[in-house]
Amino acid sequence: MKVTIVGAGNVGATCADVISYRGIASEVVLLDIKEGFAEGKALDIMQCATNTGFNTKVSGVTNDYSKTAGSDVVVITSGIPRKPGMTREELIGINAGIVKTVAENVLKYSPNTIIVVVSNPMDTMTYLALKATGLPKNRIIGMGGALDSSRFRTYLSLALDKPANDISAMVIGGHGDTTMIPLTRLASYNGIPVTEFLSEEVLQKVAADTMVGGATLTGLLGTSAWYAPGASVAFLVDSILNDQKKMIACSVFVEGEYGQNDICIGVPCIIGKNGVEEILDIKLNDQEKALFAKSADAVRGMNDALKSILV
């Protein structure tokens, strides 16, 4: 199985490292526009092989899409990262042209690939990739919900003082500081609702911390985070390549699901060899439905900025 990662920055390189270390794919290609950058990252990763025991072939190329031919999955991380004080929404004008060009180029050499979008603002960039390429909706997936859910589980684990891997929790809605919806009502610790252990006040703080999880790290690091985003992409790619059919919150195109149409937004999906194999209908309560509708309106508003690009 072959995976191409376009953009060899922190997130892309971390994704390549995790995929290689875990043996998720037999071949990983890193592509970047900066001369020698992807080649250097790939060589650095390959030099870990004898010490960590992986056999994945990792290579890097400078803007040569022919080397990506035959990719089963293409991950798009291209674009500028957030700076402190910058919202994901402010990146639209800069990153939209980049994502559109990348999606068109990879399809020239991998017409049957599944595309995973990481570039921000992620929901809008996923929608752009879908509309610009004309691919079936199951083959364009935005990664954000996997990352947001991971952060949610981390904050819950800190509040509970229990292992994050024993916690089941999901974030739906837009991948933005004000649009994501941590489903505290449905979160559980080894099958027991977390509401049995945590007060409403604590749960609200957990939800609030989750929503600004990315911004918090940007403020601390001076740029966007990369370890958790890269690992979240690898987690999603693993479910695709190995047909694991995991339930993962992803930004996908909806046609009536959750009362929304013509946008890409985070909803629970079954992810397998065909990409998005099913959108699951979780019964939301009235408050959650209202929050989801508000989130969808915000995402739809950002999509309006793409009109000139999609013409």
Side-chain angles (χ1 to χ4, degrees), residues 35 39 53 77 128 195 219 252:
E35 187 70 36
E39 291 88 338
T77 73
L128 170 67
T195 52
V252 299

Side-chain angles (χ1 to χ4, degrees), residues 203-215:
L203 283 172
Q204 288 305 312
K205 185 180 185 307
V206 165
D209 288 344
T210 299
M211 293 175 73
V212 297

Side-chain angles (χ1 to χ4, degrees), residues 214-230:
T216 299
L217 287 165
T218 300
L220 292 169
L221 298 168
T223 187
S224 296
W226 59 90
Y227 293 121

